[in-house]
Amino acid sequence: MSSRLRDLFYLDNELTFLNFGSFGATPKPIMAAYHDFQIEMERSPVQFITNKGLTCLAQSREALGSYIGCDKDDVVMVTNPSYAVNTVARSLDLNAGDEILTTDIEYGACDKTWDFICSKTGAKYIRQHITLPITNKDNFLSNLLAGVTHRTKLIFISHITSSTALRLPVEEICAFGKENGIPVFVDGAHVPGQIPLDLTTLNVDYYTGACHKWMMAPKGCSFLYTKREHQDGLDPLVVSWGYKALFPSHSRYLDYHQMNGTRDYTAFLCIPPSIAFMEEQNWTQISADCRKMVNDNANRLCAILDTEPILPIGGDFGTQMFAARVNTEQPEQLYRRLVDHYKIEIPVMRQGSDVYLRYSINAFNMQSELDRLFEVVREIREEGIYIK
């Protein structure tokens, strides 16, 4: 961690930024490439959108496929993981009584998507209770897989959870799905750029990830991976020129989900510059250093909040984020207090009846910033208004 790396980002120097997990932050070299693509598009919009840009998009998918371990034709670019989840959810042949199995610690927007789809189809969204703290993989898997029935049509699971910042054992879940004929859909919004990903080895049916978070691409850059055998079963979320295409490509999957009307897809083209940036900066080592900082400070935050960690510190469940329960009845007001008064950007997140304070650590974060957070949290708790 160094001030040199901080200088590579546009982040406000007056802001203690401990929330990389929400929307990421794009470094200056990647933003420069993004602006170059946008200017090139505006110089010749028709040729760029219908010709040059599509060539660059194929190159971007190829670079992404190499980075996440899959064929370039098995991924389509989407604006965010919610778009990908909606695409798959609306395409499944669900009937009354069918079940989608998940945990009760999933991302709220995805919960809403499945709730909406199930309300339309009569299917059930089974939010299996996960006992926290998580102590080991076997206990987690026992919690989740106790919800499997003969009606389970899909297992939907986060690779890294949002509010609780837990890395879940999706490898074992995918293996269980294969053995029992149950498709698995993994929400990996926080994964690319944070932990290694090899979709071929994972052998997952559907996977979505955000490139604008930890990969640091411009906002609105994500992907949907679909195993080849399921691709023809996915309907386009937006029906446009790719449907019954006049000049179809070699892949209906790409036609359906890539050719969906006028849009600025220059953010998608920044995947190669994002990968190059990480390689130049030795991001593998940076990520390891970040995880060490996360682990070194986790118990301090828990002690200040008078709570216990929800995972074994330094174990397989950890990431570049850490979330601790916070005893507050005013999470939104607590968040505004931290941002407006103390200039600390950190999420205060509801998860069921619990509330979590979650810090994210990336290359530019310094120990002094966490020290500042702990000082402020202690001060707010002593006031007894926002934290009990």
Side-chain angles (χ1 to χ4, degrees), residues 266-332:
T266 53
F268 302 157
L269 310 186
C270 294
I271 288 174
S274 296
I275 295 172
F277 177 85
M278 290 187 289
E279 290 175 346
E280 291 166 4
Q281 300 297 330
N282 191 15
W283 219 251
T284 300
Q285 183 59 53
I286 285 175
S287 294
D289 292 342
C290 290
R291 286 191 294 274
K292 183 177 187 304
M293 183 181 287
V294 167
N295 293 333
D296 288 348
N297 287 275
N299 283 317
R300 285 182 64 192
L301 179 60
C302 290
I304 293 168
L305 293 173
D306 192 23
T307 188
E308 295 296 322
I310 61 172
L311 77 168
I313 303 300
D316 292 338
F317 293 99
T319 67
Q320 283 177 236
M321 306 184 289
F322 179 75
R325 286 192 181 100
V326 54
N327 184 7
T328 179
E329 297 176 355
Q330 304 178 70
E332 291 76 24

Side-chain angles (χ1 to χ4, degrees), residues 14-33:
E14 294 184 1
L15 184 67
T16 300
F17 192 72
L18 297 170
N19 191 11
F20 206 91
S22 284
F23 304 113
T26 304
K28 294 174 183 178
I30 300 173
M31 284 298 291

Side-chain angles (χ1 to χ4, degrees), residues 8-155:
L8 293 177
F9 292 79
Y10 289 98
L11 291 166
D12 185 347
N13 287 328
E14 294 184 1
L15 184 67
T16 300
F17 192 72
L18 297 170
N19 191 11
F20 206 91
S22 284
F23 304 113
T26 304
K28 294 174 183 178
I30 300 173
M31 284 298 291
Y34 181 37
H35 291 154
D36 287 345
F37 280 125
Q38 290 182 316
I39 291 169
E40 184 176 1
M41 177 175 63
E42 294 308 320
R43 284 176 173 163
S44 184
V46 174
Q47 291 305 310
F48 187 89
I49 291 173
T50 63
N51 189 6
K52 170 68 180 296
L54 294 179
T55 299
C56 293
L57 185 58
Q59 294 169 346
S60 191
R61 287 190 294 102
E62 184 170 14
L64 178 64
S66 297
Y67 185 71
I68 62 175
C70 70
D71 189 280
K72 66 180 177 63
D73 290 340
D74 294 336
V75 287
V76 291
M77 305 310 301
V78 296
T79 51
N80 52 62
S82 294
Y83 190 104
V85 174
N86 273 267
T87 299
V88 175
R90 290 173 179 271
S91 299
L92 296 179
D93 183 19
L94 295 176
N95 299 294
D98 288 344
E99 295 175 353
I100 306 296
L101 177 63
T102 190
T103 74
D104 61 352
I105 51 174
E106 299 302 317
Y107 185 56
C110 295
D111 282 338
K112 288 179 179 292
T113 299
W114 290 111
D115 180 70
F116 177 85
I117 294 299
C118 288
S119 70
K120 293 288 187 181
T121 61
K124 297 179 180 179
Y125 186 48
I126 307 299
R127 300 178 70 243
Q128 193 72 4
H129 177 64
I130 302 299
T131 302
L132 298 178
I134 290 180
T135 55
N136 57 63
K137 288 183 180 180
D138 289 342
N139 286 348
F140 173 83
L141 292 169
S142 295
N143 278 180
L144 174 64
L145 299 179
V148 174
T149 74
H150 69 283
R151 293 183 176 275
T152 303
K153 300 300 180 184
L154 179 82
I155 297 174

Side-chain angles (χ1 to χ4, degrees), residues 22-23 76-88 107 109-110 113 156 185-190 207-213 218-225 237 257 260 263-264 267-268:
S22 284
F23 304 113
V76 291
M77 305 310 301
V78 296
T79 51
N80 52 62
S82 294
Y83 190 104
V85 174
N86 273 267
T87 299
V88 175
Y107 185 56
C110 295
T113 299
F156 177 75
F185 185 2
V186 174
D187 174 7
H190 286 275
Y207 195 104
T208 184
C211 303
H212 56 237
K213 287 180 183 282
K219 309 299 177 286
C221 182
S222 299
F223 68 87
L224 169 63
Y225 163 86
L237 196 58
H257 305 285
N260 56 10
R263 57 176 172 166
D264 180 357
F268 302 157

Side-chain angles (χ1 to χ4, degrees), residues 149-212:
T149 74
H150 69 283
R151 293 183 176 275
T152 303
K153 300 300 180 184
L154 179 82
I155 297 174
F156 177 75
I157 187 79
S158 289
H159 201 156
I160 297 175
T161 60
S162 179
S163 298
T164 49
L166 296 166
R167 177 178 178 175
L168 301 182
V170 298
E171 296 82 2
E172 288 83 352
I173 295 165
C174 288
F176 175 88
K178 295 299 161 293
E179 292 171 3
N180 293 274
I182 302 173
V184 177
F185 185 2
V186 174
D187 174 7
H190 286 275
V191 169
Q194 185 177 171
I195 60 175
L197 178 62
D198 187 328
L199 292 176
T200 300
T201 301
L202 186 59
N203 197 20
V204 66
D205 296 281
Y206 308 96
Y207 195 104
T208 184
C211 303
H212 56 237

